[in-house]
């Protein structure tokens, strides 16, 4: 892993930048690549990632070893927190209808009409609310889901 880190660190600075991550071919071609890289830097103070932080980030992509330990990034909860960061573009701890629509646009491009995407986004928020006991709420532009609702929706889809 240190060899991979060193290869990505083109400047030989001992840390990685957003640009270093975006040179990874799998991230460069991923429609959510920019959002994934943003999530990598969500907790960064100086917009860099050192080797220790790099190892922690990579553990997000390993199989779940524990559903119980909430502090571990390799737990189900840790993976859900990382996924939530990808959707929560403005870091306000909720996923708004507009954020969900933006992610859907990134994923499907022009293959689905705007009306269909809006129906999918509204239904996703409605389902997340329903799974958390919120019923008969009108879904509109101010609707959102919090982390707890997001987790319930993701776990229901397993």
């Amino acid at each position: 892993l240190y060899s991979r880190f060193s290869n990505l660190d083109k400047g030989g600075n001992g840390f990685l930048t957003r640009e270093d991550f975006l040179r990874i071919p799998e991230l460069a071609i991923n429609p959510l690549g920019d959002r994934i890289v943003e999530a990598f830097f969500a907790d960064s103070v100086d917009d860099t990632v050192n080797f220790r932080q790099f190892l922690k980030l990579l553990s997000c992509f390993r199989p779940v070893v524990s559903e119980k330990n909430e502090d571990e990034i390799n737990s189900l909860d840790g993976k859900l927190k990382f996924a939530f960061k990808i959707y929560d573009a403005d870091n306000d701890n909720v996923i708004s209808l507009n954020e969900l629509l933006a992610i859907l646009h990134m994923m499907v491009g022009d293959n689905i009409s705007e009306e269909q995407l809006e129906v999918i986004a509204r239904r996703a928020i409605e389902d997340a609310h329903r799974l958390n006991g919120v019923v008969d709420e009108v879904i509109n532009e101010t609707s959102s889901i919090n982390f707890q609702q997001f987790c319930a929706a993701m776990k229901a889809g397993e």
Side-chain angles (χ1 to χ4, degrees), residues 28 32 42 45 49 61-62 85 89 104 110 114 127 131 138 145 154:
L32 299 178
V45 196
V49 171
F61 300 101
R62 292 188 57 224
K85 288 178 190 177
L104 290 171
D110 295 330
E114 185 68 33
D127 288 349
L131 287 167
V138 175
I145 59 175
M154 293 295 102

Side-chain angles (χ1 to χ4, degrees), residues 50-63:
N50 63 31
F51 182 64
R52 182 182 296 269
Q53 293 164 318
F54 179 71
L55 292 175
K56 186 177 177 184
L57 291 172
L58 289 182
S59 70
C60 276
F61 300 101
R62 292 188 57 224

Side-chain angles (χ1 to χ4, degrees), residues 1-17 20-21 23-24 49-52 54-55 58:
L1 288 174
Y2 186 75
S3 175
R4 178 69 167 152
F5 178 84
S6 296
N7 287 335
L8 290 171
D9 180 15
K10 297 294 183 197
N13 303 312
F15 59 81
L16 301 176
T17 64
D20 293 327
F21 279 104
R23 278 195 291 271
I24 299 171
V49 171
N50 63 31
F51 182 64
R52 182 182 296 269
F54 179 71
L55 292 175
L58 289 182

